[in-house]
Amino acid sequence: MPATKTSSRHIALIDVNNFYVSCERVFNPQLIGKPVVVLSNNDGCAVARSNEVKALGVGMGAPWFKFKDLAKQHGIIALSSNYALYADMSNRVMNILRHFSPDQEVYSIDESFLDLTGFHRRDLVEYGQAMRQRILSWTGLPVCVGIGASKTLAKLANHCAKKRSQFNGVCNFNAMADRDLDQLLAKIEVGEIWGVGRKLAPKLEALGYRSALDLKRASPEALRQQFSVVMEKTVRELNGTVCIELEEISPPKKQILSSRSFGHPVRDYNSLAESITLYMSRAAEKLRRQQSFAGSAYVFIRTSPFKPDDPFYSNGITLPMPSPTDDTRQLVNVVLWGLKQIYRPHFNYAKAGVMLSELVPAEGVQTDLFSQMQGTLKSDELMAAIDKINRKMGKDSVKLASEGFRKPWKMKQDNKSPSYTTKWEDVPVVS
């Protein structure tokens, strides 16, 4: 789609402040004001930090074992990632935002774009405050709202709403005079711009582009020659030209990956087979959700590269499907056959995973000459029934037996909070 000048566009970005930590504090108010860190899979690294933890110098992605002494000294509370809770709270926020505009793009688990162009007669700062109050009242989560003439400007406005107290959580670039907006952009480092980031920032700074205003005044054609078309679009978007439209419907993924690191080293084939079955079941469920079929599957296993005393082994194999399918049973059979080809005994395996590729729309799939329509229909009905039961009764209510039940290899979550909103037994009770 060609770039269009849209000075009358009003695009908002709504972002939940420190999403993972905020979700934990909603249901455990005792965490408010205390240093809290949320850890990644197997409680490995910091993926979310409260402001109190950031002030102590703990960086994003910092390994937990490296700051355990600091944690003891300052009382840092470490929590395992609670994916079920975060996903449910995200869905609640996104559903609330749909009431404020029919044109929505869910950008990430904690961010959503809204097109407010049709609401230009409203005071959009007040409208943004109404969003904040409703989300806070209905979910307990704090959000900030940024409004601009493009998605890039909306992102920057959200940055200002979050970092500058004078905006009280809502910043509308479109309501500012050009001179005032330029003065504000001059105070924002170029690395804060969406599409630039920390990797490109040093290169831009070396060329004299140190602030968002510097980049706004740059030649888009020249930067396209020096960098890429993405950089050209960024410059144009900083000047209010929409180059990146809202995606109300996310495009189907071209590949689906499902993998995890194990909580403990795995040596035996059966445990690896259980984990591969689980990961493929998750991938197949996502495949059906986007109404696609897979033409090939990839399976891999590897030991830890961080243990020099253990022999290292890593291998994977890509397997073509006889015909594209979304049937979990067929996909699992194929990757388990592949696992037998690459498995080697006497290794301490640390990670395994699968990937689905050559994805095609379900309605346009090309079957082979010898496939039976009756079998295909039965497969579709069975998979639909399994998905429906698992959605209604909870994940893994129905699963393949080869997935196992004890799962001693599952990832470590020693400090996981309860699933407050997705398990009846974990629902908070007010006494």
Side-chain angles (χ1 to χ4, degrees), residues 213-248:
L213 181 62
D214 293 334
L215 196 61
K216 176 184 176 181
R217 291 175 172 173
S219 165
E221 294 83 4
L223 286 185
R224 176 173 182 166
Q225 294 295 324
Q226 291 176 285
F227 293 91
S228 67
V229 67
V230 176
M231 187 62 70
E232 177 192 9
K233 289 182 178 180
T234 298
V235 175
R236 294 189 186 280
E237 288 238 329
L238 286 173
N239 285 278
T241 300
V242 173
C243 300
I244 310 170
E245 289 286 353
L246 265 67
E247 294 181 353
E248 296 178 36

Side-chain angles (χ1 to χ4, degrees), residues 12 28 106 111 119 124 173 185 216 234 242 248 270 276 288 308 322 329 339 353 390 399 407 423:
N28 187 358
V106 179
E111 294 177 300
F119 300 81
L124 293 183
F173 280 177
L185 294 179
K216 176 184 176 181
T234 298
V242 173
E248 296 178 36
N270 288 336
I276 290 298
R288 292 190 292 273
R329 299 168 301 170
L339 177 63
N390 285 335
K399 61 184 179 182
K407 299 179 183 176
K423 282 187 179 180

